[in-house]
Amino acid sequence: MKDLNNDFELLILGTDVNAYYLARCYHELYGKKATLLGKSPLNPTAISNILNVIYDGNIWTEKGFLNALFEYKKKLKNKYVLLISSNETYWGFIAKNAKILKLSHFLFNCPTTEIINSLMYKKEFYETYENSILDLPYTYYYDCKQKNDLPSGLNYPVILKPSNVILYNHISFEGKNKIYKIESFNELETTVNKITDGGYDDTLIIQDFIHGDDS
């Protein structure tokens, strides 16, 4: 294998604050600008002068994502491209197409699709690791397709969030949040209806609220 110190380019996937942090670390360590590939401009990276950005509105689909990668690779000829993603969607695409990407001189440290799914889809995560050393809160799974009765007798407040974050990221509706802190059964019912009416039809996670900050 060639000496990768001079024969690789870094391509960060995404334009959010996580992507900016990755680009800043690269710039501080190597004094070079990383290239970012993103769907659209976002504030953390839109006006930064320590990185370069390529926008492609089609990369939110697997086919568009692969097309964008190979189009970028054409300009680099025999150089390797180190891929680092800032979100779950792109890691999923990489895992599903790992063989062809490696053959095309893309480098990445990515687990298998099975492991990614166990971490990325919240229902699979909690079911996979419920008997592990992790201290997990009480969790109820609500199937939006079945639309069964919501659980009664919960100790409010509770947390409501989508299990399928990829699907959830691809829809848009008024009042959409990453997660929801719910204070009553009526608020739970209203919020679930708002999410399902907005186009989400997978599993929702309802959990005990854990007090404290993000740590």
Side-chain angles (χ1 to χ4, degrees), residues 2-107:
K2 294 181 179 181
D3 178 9
L4 296 183
N5 289 327
N6 297 311
D7 287 304
F8 85 95
E9 292 292 334
L10 175 62
L11 183 62
I12 297 172
L13 306 170
T15 54
D16 59 8
V17 66
N18 294 323
Y20 174 78
Y21 175 73
L22 292 167
R24 190 183 74 183
C25 290
Y26 179 69
H27 187 266
E28 290 175 351
L29 186 60
Y30 294 101
K32 297 172 64 177
K33 292 184 178 183
T35 299
L36 276 58
L37 174 63
K39 178 176 177 288
S40 57
L42 293 176
N43 287 338
T45 54
I47 59 174
S48 174
N49 61 7
I50 64 167
L51 51 87
N52 300 310
V53 189
I54 300 171
Y55 299 112
D56 188 327
N58 297 315
I59 63 170
W60 216 228
T61 66
E62 185 175 342
K63 181 179 179 181
F65 175 79
L66 292 174
N67 287 341
L69 288 189
F70 291 128
E71 189 64 29
Y72 173 76
K73 182 68 176 62
K74 283 181 184 178
K75 304 172 185 177
L76 301 177
K77 298 182 179 179
N78 294 324
K79 276 194 173 184
Y80 288 85
V81 178
L82 176 61
L83 297 177
I84 302 180
S85 175
S86 68
N87 67 57
E88 303 94 337
T89 297
Y90 302 139
W91 275 132
F93 292 160
I94 291 171
K96 289 176 65 177
N97 298 279
K99 186 174 181 179
I100 189 173
L101 289 173
K102 287 179 179 178
L103 289 173
S104 303
H105 285 188
F106 287 96
L107 304 173

Side-chain angles (χ1 to χ4, degrees), residues 3-209:
D3 178 9
L4 296 183
N5 289 327
N6 297 311
D7 287 304
F8 85 95
E9 292 292 334
L10 175 62
L11 183 62
I12 297 172
L13 306 170
T15 54
D16 59 8
V17 66
N18 294 323
Y20 174 78
Y21 175 73
L22 292 167
R24 190 183 74 183
C25 290
Y26 179 69
H27 187 266
E28 290 175 351
L29 186 60
Y30 294 101
K32 297 172 64 177
K33 292 184 178 183
T35 299
L36 276 58
L37 174 63
K39 178 176 177 288
S40 57
L42 293 176
N43 287 338
T45 54
I47 59 174
S48 174
N49 61 7
I50 64 167
L51 51 87
N52 300 310
V53 189
I54 300 171
Y55 299 112
D56 188 327
N58 297 315
I59 63 170
W60 216 228
T61 66
E62 185 175 342
K63 181 179 179 181
F65 175 79
L66 292 174
N67 287 341
L69 288 189
F70 291 128
E71 189 64 29
Y72 173 76
K73 182 68 176 62
K74 283 181 184 178
K75 304 172 185 177
L76 301 177
K77 298 182 179 179
N78 294 324
K79 276 194 173 184
Y80 288 85
V81 178
L82 176 61
L83 297 177
I84 302 180
S85 175
S86 68
N87 67 57
E88 303 94 337
T89 297
Y90 302 139
W91 275 132
F93 292 160
I94 291 171
K96 289 176 65 177
N97 298 279
K99 186 174 181 179
I100 189 173
L101 289 173
K102 287 179 179 178
L103 289 173
S104 303
H105 285 188
F106 287 96
L107 304 173
F108 46 86
N109 186 9
C110 182
T112 64
T113 301
E114 291 74 22
I115 292 176
I116 286 180
N117 288 342
S118 76
L119 298 171
M120 188 163 52
Y121 297 104
K122 291 182 173 61
K123 183 174 186 291
E124 289 192 32
F125 173 82
Y126 292 119
E127 290 179 338
T128 300
Y129 301 106
E130 63 181 346
N131 295 319
S132 69
I133 62 172
L134 298 176
D135 188 13
L136 302 175
Y138 167 78
T139 302
Y140 178 88
Y141 308 110
Y142 179 78
D143 189 336
C144 294
K145 291 181 180 177
Q146 298 294 329
K147 293 188 176 180
N148 296 323
D149 292 338
L150 290 164
S152 59
L154 296 173
N155 294 318
Y156 292 92
V158 296
I159 291 297
L160 176 68
K161 56 188 177 183
S163 172
N164 189 337
V165 294
I166 293 181
L167 172 62
Y168 191 72
N169 286 340
H170 281 70
I171 62 176
S172 180
F173 57 88
E174 186 176 355
K176 177 184 174 184
N177 293 329
K178 184 176 181 179
I179 63 171
Y180 303 82
K181 183 181 178 184
I182 306 296
E183 302 286 351
S184 68
F185 179 83
N186 288 339
E187 185 180 359
L188 176 64
E189 190 173 42
T190 299
T191 306
V192 168
N193 289 336
K194 178 170 62 177
I195 293 171
T196 55
D197 290 344
Y200 182 81
D201 61 359
D202 207 319
T203 302
L204 287 170
I205 305 294
I206 303 171
Q207 287 183 323
D208 284 340
F209 174 68

